Amino acid sequence: MANINIRIAGIGGQGVVLSGIILGRTASVYEGKNAVQTQSYGSSARGGDVCSEIIISNKKIIYPQVLKSDILIALSQKAVDKYRDQILEGGTLIVDKDLTKLEFETEKFKVYGESFNKTAIDEFNNKTVANMIMLGYLVKKTEIVDVELLKKSILESVPVETKEINIKALNKGMLLAQ
Amino acid sequence: MKNNKTDFIQGNIACVEGAIVAGCKFFAGYPITPASEIAEHMSERMFQVNGTFIQTEDELSSIAAVVGSSWAGAKAMTATSGPGISLMQENIGLAIATETPLVIVDVQRGGPSTGSPSISLQGDTIQVKYGSQGEYQVISIAPSSPQEMFDYTIWAFNIAEKFRTPVFVMADVMVGHMREQVEYPEDYNELEIFDRKILDDPDSTEGRFLSTEVAPMPIFGNGFKANVTGSTHDEFGWRNVSDPKVMDNFIKKLTNKILNNKSEIIRTEKEYMEDAEVVLLSYGSVSRAALETVHTAREKEIKVGSYRLVTVWPFPEKEISKMSENVEKIIVLENNLGQIYPYVRSAVDGKAEVELLSPSVLGEFFEPNYILNKIKEAK
């Protein structure tokens, strides 16, 4: 595949942007590929719609935005509704199944649902690690980046005191994907 | 200093790192989306390089502090967005009139007025050229990636120092907030870093201002008096506001300092121009959509080329005029309602057809198919 186009969409506070940065950093700094990440959001830091887009490629990336995505990770109902028509044929949709209702059937792309937010609260007592559970799940399902390099990238991107819990959450996500 | 390393960073952060490599030792700014990351990162980095960071009470004060610090000998910078540029215009004029080297980063957002902080627009292209009163020339550079935010901020400092004038780095939300890999130079000693000529002899008979060859700067703190005024002055800074000949010299030397050196300042990038019938002319973030469209068009064997203005001001009318002799049509792509479009038309002067294309929804990034359809319509 020349380009991998990933769109992560949800609500401010879910770690949507950070997840995109971590994926981009893993691919570019650690795997030596090209990566670009852009984002769109409203003016509120929490609670507004937010979308983070990442392109990973072996070639130089000219056009920086995702038009149709190979992978959509939707963490809110609005994200599913807004972006599911822009998934490429043969692509992948991953949703937080407790935050979304999938009232459609499709053979165009694969659909996976998992409890990222609920698992973060129930098992880690900390909903901010839901994005790490999601990343673990994503990488296990799609193998878009190397897991060990992803861990390195996470360790570089999160505050020191949260390193352990973030890696544990990532491992949990990978376990859920098995 | 980071060395021989790839990083995955925002354009705004890359801009700060470029400024530091260029030798920036003073930053004054006031936070504003989408430029705030520059001030935030500067607050940390200036401290690390023994520079000075000030968060001022507003943008008027920021630019005033930057002008002052440049006269005290520091390489100085501020960063803001369109609303901040509006507030800075008075002292931008002062910087031009007093020939003060400094860098102003404008991470453009939707406007007019407070507009849309996080929506990208190339709304300030004309504002930076003509925002302050009087007759003058500016230099503006339009980067299209975090790598260019790094490289071109260094370059902006170099030309600011070389020509003793303010230089604008015209980013937008797209480039400022975009993250992409940035390759830092392997050997910083091989980078060309230009430092201003400084007047160190108080008895020198050499002029201090108004030379198209760029006069040495009589910076403060060298133990002699320096006369610096925004009012009309002569080569030694002496104020004379009643003689039109002095004003004529004042304005013409300031503008010719830029215009006579256009060949050194202007940069353009051409792709697939050799046999192009239709040309997509663009600048800044939009040039990435233009180039993508050219690649798509070439796959369909449509003869389209990309002509990118890396520097928008001073305007490359000679270059565009020459280019237009060999093409049928030029489509000017701007994420606004046509700010350089009249300049392109004027430069082309009927030699080719010139059309403006704005995004279907202002602020949304151009889609290649949308541009391609316009090309097909044109053919």
Side-chain angles (χ1 to χ4, degrees):
Chain A
M1 200 183 295
N3 278 15
I4 305 172
N5 296 279
I6 306 151
R7 180 176 275 132
I8 309 173
I11 297 165
Q14 289 179 321
V16 162
V17 172
L18 182 63
S19 306
I21 298 169
I22 288 170
L23 282 176
R25 176 177 290 278
T26 309
S28 63
V29 176
Y30 294 107
E31 296 188 339
K33 294 177 184 167
N34 297 298
V36 60
Q37 182 266 344
T38 57
Q39 59 211 0
S40 59
Y41 57 90
S43 54
S44 53
R46 283 179 186 80
D49 297 330
V50 59
C51 178
S52 177
E53 299 177 348
I54 310 97
I55 304 172
I56 298 171
S57 180
N58 290 319
K59 293 192 292 188
K60 186 175 164 66
I61 299 165
I62 299 168
Y63 193 75
Q65 274 197 327
V66 170
L67 296 171
K68 297 223 168 189
S69 68
D70 298 284
I71 299 165
L72 168 65
I73 297 135
L75 305 175
S76 71
Q77 188 60 44
K78 230 172 151 180
V80 176
D81 298 341
K82 189 170 175 188
Y83 296 114
R84 79 174 159 94
D85 290 342
Q86 288 155 49
I87 302 172
L88 287 162
E89 201 156 343
T92 304
L93 168 65
I94 297 175
V95 299
D96 188 317
K97 67 181 180 190
D98 306 313
L99 305 177
T100 54
K101 270 190 194 148
L102 298 182
E103 288 165 335
F104 62 90
E105 285 192 15
T106 183
E107 294 192 346
K108 211 181 127 202
F109 48 80
K110 292 183 281 276
V111 181
Y112 300 110
E114 195 43 79
S115 299
F116 306 126
N117 195 54
K118 191 169 178 298
T119 308
I121 295 167
D122 291 351
E123 295 199 20
F124 295 89
N125 196 27
N126 184 344
K127 71 175 181 181
T128 66
V129 299
N131 61 340
M132 294 297 145
I133 301 173
M134 179 274 286
L135 277 179
Y137 187 89
L138 166 73
V139 169
K140 195 75 188 171
K141 284 282 184 213
T142 63
E143 299 180 333
I144 47 171
V145 289
D146 180 88
V147 173
E148 290 312 310
L149 296 176
L150 175 66
K151 283 183 184 172
K152 264 183 143 175
S153 174
I154 290 171
L155 293 174
E156 204 181 89
S157 306
V158 300
V160 181
E161 64 276 13
T162 68
K163 282 183 177 178
E164 200 186 326
I165 190 172
N166 276 306
I167 296 297
K168 278 186 180 165
L170 183 86
N171 288 334
K172 179 69 196 178
M174 288 166 58
L175 212 62
L176 290 174
Q178 277 176 356
Chain B
M1 194 160 295
K2 286 169 177 162
N3 217 355
N4 193 13
K5 192 179 160 229
T6 303
D7 211 347
F8 186 74
I9 50 174
Q10 266 193 342
N12 282 345
I13 304 299
C15 170
V16 171
E17 293 301 325
I20 293 194
V21 170
C24 177
K25 283 291 166 72
F26 186 93
F27 181 93
Y30 184 81
I32 181 169
T33 302
S36 296
E37 294 83 6
I38 297 179
E40 186 186 11
H41 195 53
M42 270 290 184
S43 70
E44 209 173 295
R45 296 293 275 132
M46 277 294 112
F47 178 72
Q48 291 166 351
V49 297
N50 289 324
T52 302
F53 170 88
I54 310 177
Q55 180 177 323
T56 52
E57 68 273 30
D58 57 31
E59 289 87 345
L60 287 78
S61 183
S62 302
I63 187 70
V66 168
V67 172
S69 68
S70 183
W71 274 97
K75 290 190 182 178
M77 176 175 127
T78 187
T80 186
S81 188
I85 298 285
S86 298
L87 293 173
M88 290 180 184
Q89 290 292 5
E90 185 180 6
N91 275 328
I92 289 171
L94 177 69
I96 286 160
T98 55
E99 300 178 67
T100 308
L102 51 90
V103 173
I104 302 165
V105 184
D106 180 4
V107 189
Q108 299 167 86
R109 64 189 223 175
S113 190
T114 34
S116 298
S118 61
I119 297 179
S120 213
L121 198 77
Q122 294 177 313
D124 303 340
T125 310
I126 294 295
Q127 181 183 203
V128 301
K129 180 170 173 61
Y130 281 138
S132 199
Q133 74 273 18
E135 179 76 40
Y136 61 95
Q137 291 287 329
V138 297
I139 299 172
S140 86
I141 307 169
S144 69
S145 66
Q147 182 72 56
E148 289 184 353
M149 285 290 271
F150 177 80
D151 296 337
Y152 292 173
T153 302
I154 300 174
W155 178 33
F157 270 98
N158 280 347
I159 44 180
E161 292 284 312
K162 183 156 196 181
F163 296 108
R164 258 186 77 181
T165 193
V167 174
F168 289 92
V169 176
M170 299 299 289
D172 56 14
V173 173
M174 189 69 187
V175 173
H177 281 172
M178 175 194 296
R179 288 179 181 81
E180 200 164 27
Q181 70 268 21
V182 171
E183 309 275 349
Y184 292 114
E186 284 195 21
D187 184 358
Y188 284 94
N189 296 322
E190 280 181 12
L191 284 180
E192 192 197 345
I193 302 295
F194 195 92
D195 296 325
R196 70 191 70 169
K197 275 191 289 179
I198 292 173
L199 187 77
D200 47 15
D201 175 10
D203 299 322
S204 166
T205 54
E206 197 177 353
R208 282 90 162 126
F209 297 92
L210 305 181
S211 165
T212 50
E213 304 296 313
V214 190
M217 191 171 169
I219 60 166
F220 301 151
N222 273 0
F224 57 83
K225 289 173 184 161
N227 203 27
V228 185
T229 175
S231 293
T232 300
H233 51 264
D234 66 14
E235 276 74 1
F236 290 86
W238 295 114
R239 190 171 178 271
N240 182 336
V241 296
S242 55
D243 186 346
K245 281 185 185 143
V246 178
M247 194 186 76
D248 180 84
N249 183 58
F250 171 63
I251 292 172
K252 285 181 180 164
K253 289 283 173 58
L254 285 180
T255 53
N256 285 339
K257 187 175 70 173
I258 310 287
L259 297 177
N260 292 359
N261 290 296
K262 274 175 119 179
S263 60
E264 193 181 333
I265 298 164
I266 287 170
R267 280 194 204 176
T268 58
E269 268 178 20
K270 305 171 195 80
E271 303 256 8
Y272 295 95
M273 285 297 293
E274 301 78 22
D275 61 344
E277 292 166 0
V278 177
V279 173
L280 300 178
L281 190 148
S282 64
Y283 56 97
S285 59
V286 171
S287 60
R288 293 179 71 149
L291 191 55
E292 179 78 20
T293 309
V294 168
H295 283 242
T296 313
R298 288 282 168 171
E299 281 169 21
K300 298 177 197 293
E301 295 182 352
I302 306 171
K303 289 183 177 172
V304 184
S306 166
Y307 193 91
R308 175 192 172 194
L309 311 188
V310 178
T311 47
V312 176
W313 310 120
F315 196 71
E317 57 267 305
K318 268 189 194 160
E319 289 81 353
I320 290 173
S321 170
K322 190 159 184 290
M323 174 270 283
S324 70
E325 287 168 7
N326 306 314
V327 304
E328 290 167 18
K329 180 161 188 144
I330 298 166
I331 300 176
V332 181
L333 299 174
E334 292 189 84
N335 186 9
N336 56 41
L337 295 177
Q339 298 205 2
I340 67 158
Y341 170 60
Y343 290 84
V344 177
R345 281 190 64 138
S346 158
V348 172
D349 198 18
K351 291 190 285 294
E353 208 182 321
V354 184
E355 189 184 300
L356 168 71
L357 185 62
S358 305
S360 54
V361 176
L362 274 183
E364 283 186 358
F365 202 58
F366 275 102
E367 288 194 16
N369 273 339
Y370 170 73
I371 305 172
L372 202 59
N373 286 338
K374 294 287 168 183
I375 295 169
K376 284 177 183 164
E377 277 172 32
K379 286 193 70 72

